[in-house]
Amino acid sequence: MKKLGLTIAILAMMGFAVPAMAANFAFHGDMNNRILVYSNHVDWLDARNDSFGVINDDTVSDSYAELKYRYWTEISDDDNNIKGVYAIEIGGIRWGREGSGKSQGGSFGGDGANVETRWAYLDFQVPFIERKARARMGLQPFKANSYFWQETATALHFSSIITDSVDYELAFVRSVDKFNDIADNANDDIENVDSFYGRVNFKPADDLKIGLFGLYMWGDPDNNDPADFGEIDSRDYEIKQFADEANLGVFTLGVDGSASFGNFFVNWDLMYQGGDIDDVDFFDAIPGTLRNSKNNVVPDVPAASGDFDLSAYFLHADIGYKMGKAKFTYTFWYASGDDDPNDDNFDAYLAVDVDREDSMTIFEGPFVDDVTYFTERPYMLDKGFVMNKLAFDYQWTQNLTVGTAAMYMLTAEDFEYVDGNGNNQSEDEIGVEINGFLKYKLYKNLEFALNAGYLFAGDGMDFFEQGTSRDGSSDEDIFVSSARVRFKF
């Protein structure tokens, strides 16, 4: 009874407080139920599996169901000068699976765990500035570029307009916080991982947008003793995987944009990266050898150690045409790769934290995207990537959309390895993938979707095969099919 009385009192106070604050409440949800209908090589797809994305000679099939639910509340004043947002996420919870997720605090991608705080931030109009100028602080959606960094991050973000056709953004992001224990740190160094980000967007015409951006990330974990060097391996070649272990001083400069000319449209991204990644051991991951502390397959001796110079680049373009209910799109991108794991240069393009969905068999194309993918970034290992994709989408009816795509994929640099018969091999062809999807609105906010992809494996995929079947020629194709029922409001 005491608990009931306390609850009634709190609700009563809220009832008096809401009119006084003149607050507006909005509640949203995304209830996503996903199914891996079938895969013939879940050994390749499971990014967290101990098998490290290997391809066995025999079929390794699986199917399962999972859920990921996200709910968020927005509270604002009548003038929308102040807005607070809080979101939780539940999942992905596998039907019948025991265990819980890991906790990451305010680091890359949210705080993890079974029930995670996905967003928690304050967004407000900066006072004393007449034009639109918003500040956003806390755990929030952050985007520098969808091929570089687009995920939840703890940040202070500022955006404003200069003219009707020019606006800009500034942000400070803290990705890793290390408490300074003076007893263990005689030099009193700050060992956090931080970033400064800036962007200027131009809109010279209604059908033309151009953005210029730059991001500098730095951090010093004080691992200058070779015995304490951080570890980077090509399987986890992504900044979020080693940011807390490496001495970072990395910059990325880019230009992106979009344009349309009648029914034609084009999108583009171009980035260059430079800087230093110091005090690390680099391991060239090879399927079937020893494992490091992250449970990835690596040799027991690093390919190179010490300080590395980063020099890499990335370019992307979409060229498309809309014709009534149909849309045709050709996509190309090139992510530079590294051809020598033993030198002191990193020539392979590095993403910070992204979720690419372009391929069903390589990236996060399956709807069960929490685990079932080989890589979430737009490249493979440290070998870069070359994508050629032709897609066709058609809105059949108001409720039904279908589409298909064909992809020819390679790595920018060869996989160089000794096969199961002791022969040297050098291959770069990932193969040809054919996929398709169907999306149908059962109700206004309830969608059923089905997709599938088949990779006709190229000889570069032989690198991931096992035993004597690892002979320079691919032996196993990969098939994935998934479905979802999703309620969004």
Side-chain angles (χ1 to χ4, degrees):
M1 290 299 294
K2 290 182 178 179
K3 291 183 178 179
L4 178 60
L6 178 61
T7 302
I8 293 173
I10 292 173
L11 291 175
M13 285 188 291
M14 289 180 63
F16 287 113
V18 169
M21 292 188 299
N24 300 305
F25 293 83
F27 182 71
H28 305 278
D30 182 353
M31 305 175 70
N32 200 353
N33 303 273
R34 301 97 68 89
I35 302 168
L36 178 68
V37 178
Y38 177 77
S39 173
N40 68 330
H41 270 294
V42 73
D43 50 339
W44 162 255
L45 292 171
D46 195 339
R48 300 176 192 174
N49 196 315
D50 292 352
S51 65
F52 156 62
V54 299
I55 303 174
N56 288 281
D57 230 359
D58 299 322
T59 296
V60 183
S61 59
D62 200 2
S63 62
Y64 59 80
E66 66 179 19
L67 62 90
K68 178 185 279 190
Y69 290 177
R70 182 180 298 175
Y71 304 101
W72 66 99
T73 300
E74 298 179 359
I75 305 173
S76 63
D77 63 2
D78 281 342
D79 297 323
N80 202 37
N81 286 324
I82 309 169
K83 181 171 70 172
V85 178
Y86 180 69
I88 63 169
E89 185 174 287
I90 304 168
I93 299 177
R94 187 84 58 88
W95 290 18
R97 178 69 63 88
E98 295 182 353
S100 61
K102 62 181 181 179
S103 177
Q104 298 176 342
S107 187
F108 295 103
D111 72 353
N114 198 327
V115 178
E116 93 177 63
T117 296
R118 184 60 179 174
W119 305 321
Y121 65 91
L122 177 65
D123 182 336
F124 59 93
Q125 168 70 27
V126 179
F128 314 116
I129 299 179
E130 293 184 2
R131 62 181 182 272
K132 181 180 179 182
R134 306 288 299 189
R136 196 168 64 226
M137 59 192 308
L139 189 64
Q140 60 188 271
F142 176 76
K143 179 181 178 180
N145 180 278
S146 64
Y147 290 90
F148 172 58
W149 193 354
Q150 183 175 351
E151 249 296 357
T152 300
T154 43
L156 172 61
H157 181 274
F158 175 83
S159 62
S160 185
I161 60 173
I162 300 175
T163 68
D164 290 342
S165 59
V166 181
D167 64 81
Y168 67 97
E169 302 174 45
L170 299 171
F172 168 79
V173 185
R174 172 149 293 174
S175 300
V176 176
D177 179 86
K178 291 193 175 182
F179 187 76
N180 192 356
D181 188 339
I182 298 176
D184 294 332
N185 192 348
N187 295 325
D188 198 27
D189 294 331
I190 296 177
E191 301 175 0
N192 306 318
V193 177
D194 297 322
S195 301
F196 276 135
Y197 166 73
R199 167 182 284 271
V200 180
N201 297 308
F202 302 90
K203 190 177 181 181
D206 289 341
D207 52 6
L208 176 61
K209 298 178 182 179
I210 302 172
L212 303 175
F213 66 92
L215 185 140
Y216 182 70
M217 177 179 287
W218 74 97
D220 183 2
D222 198 26
N223 291 343
N224 50 18
D225 183 347
D228 298 325
F229 276 4
E231 293 184 1
I232 300 176
D233 65 77
S234 57
R235 177 63 179 89
D236 275 338
Y237 191 73
E238 185 180 31
I239 289 178
K240 78 170 182 179
Q241 301 291 348
F242 59 79
D244 62 339
E245 298 183 351
N247 186 340
L248 293 171
V250 174
F251 68 85
T252 301
L253 302 175
V255 55
D256 52 23
S258 63
S260 59
F261 315 93
N263 291 331
F264 287 95
F265 64 90
V266 59
N267 308 305
W268 65 85
D269 304 272
L270 175 63
M271 286 173 276
Y272 174 76
Q273 294 180 318
D276 303 301
I277 301 175
D278 298 338
D279 303 331
V280 293
D281 294 324
F282 177 74
F283 294 86
D284 194 21
I286 302 174
T289 57
L290 300 179
R291 301 178 185 276
N292 68 356
S293 60
K294 297 179 181 177
N295 212 26
N296 292 329
V297 181
V298 297
D300 56 346
V301 177
S305 297
D307 300 341
F308 297 82
D309 295 325
L310 175 66
S311 180
Y313 63 95
F314 178 92
L315 58 92
H316 155 262
D318 294 323
I319 302 173
Y321 181 76
K322 296 178 181 179
M323 185 173 60
K325 297 181 179 180
K327 181 174 71 173
F328 301 86
T329 309
Y330 170 70
T331 296
F332 171 85
W333 81 65
Y334 182 96
S336 64
D338 198 310
D339 63 352
D340 187 355
N342 303 116
D343 65 15
D344 60 356
N345 296 315
F346 285 151
D347 299 319
Y349 173 72
L350 259 173
V352 177
D353 191 3
V354 294
D355 300 285
R356 297 306 311 176
E357 301 176 354
D358 308 76
S359 163
M360 286 282 296
T361 62
I362 306 295
F363 307 123
E364 294 188 66
F367 297 131
V368 283
D369 58 3
D370 254 14
V371 178
T372 312
Y373 54 84
F374 175 75
T375 178
E376 64 182 6
R377 41 212 183 261
Y379 49 84
M380 296 183 70
L381 308 185
D382 63 337
K383 302 307 176 187
F385 206 76
V386 182
M387 168 67 87
N388 292 277
K389 179 178 181 179
L390 184 61
F392 170 73
D393 301 307
Y394 186 75
Q395 176 120 28
W396 202 309
T397 68
Q398 183 177 355
N399 294 328
L400 176 62
T401 303
V402 297
T404 186
M407 283 157 273
Y408 179 55
M409 300 176 287
L410 309 96
T411 52
E413 300 293 341
D414 290 353
F415 296 116
E416 296 181 352
Y417 60 100
V418 178
D419 67 21
N421 300 312
N423 300 315
N424 292 322
Q425 301 291 347
S426 181
E427 303 289 348
D428 66 355
E429 186 179 32
I430 302 303
V432 175
E433 178 178 327
I434 306 295
N435 63 32
F437 73 87
L438 174 153
K439 296 180 180 179
Y440 185 77
K441 290 286 188 180
L442 300 171
Y443 296 98
K444 180 180 179 181
N445 296 323
L446 183 65
E447 176 192 81
F448 168 77
L450 177 69
N451 64 6
Y454 192 97
L455 176 67
F456 298 90
D459 287 342
M461 295 296 287
D462 177 68
F463 175 76
F464 301 96
E465 294 182 11
Q466 301 293 287
T468 55
S469 63
R470 197 167 184 246
D471 57 5
S473 177
S474 63
D475 300 310
E476 293 290 323
D477 296 338
I478 298 173
F479 174 75
V480 189
S481 179
S482 65
R484 74 181 176 203
V485 177
R486 188 177 197 178
F487 176 41
K488 296 182 70 174
F489 59 90

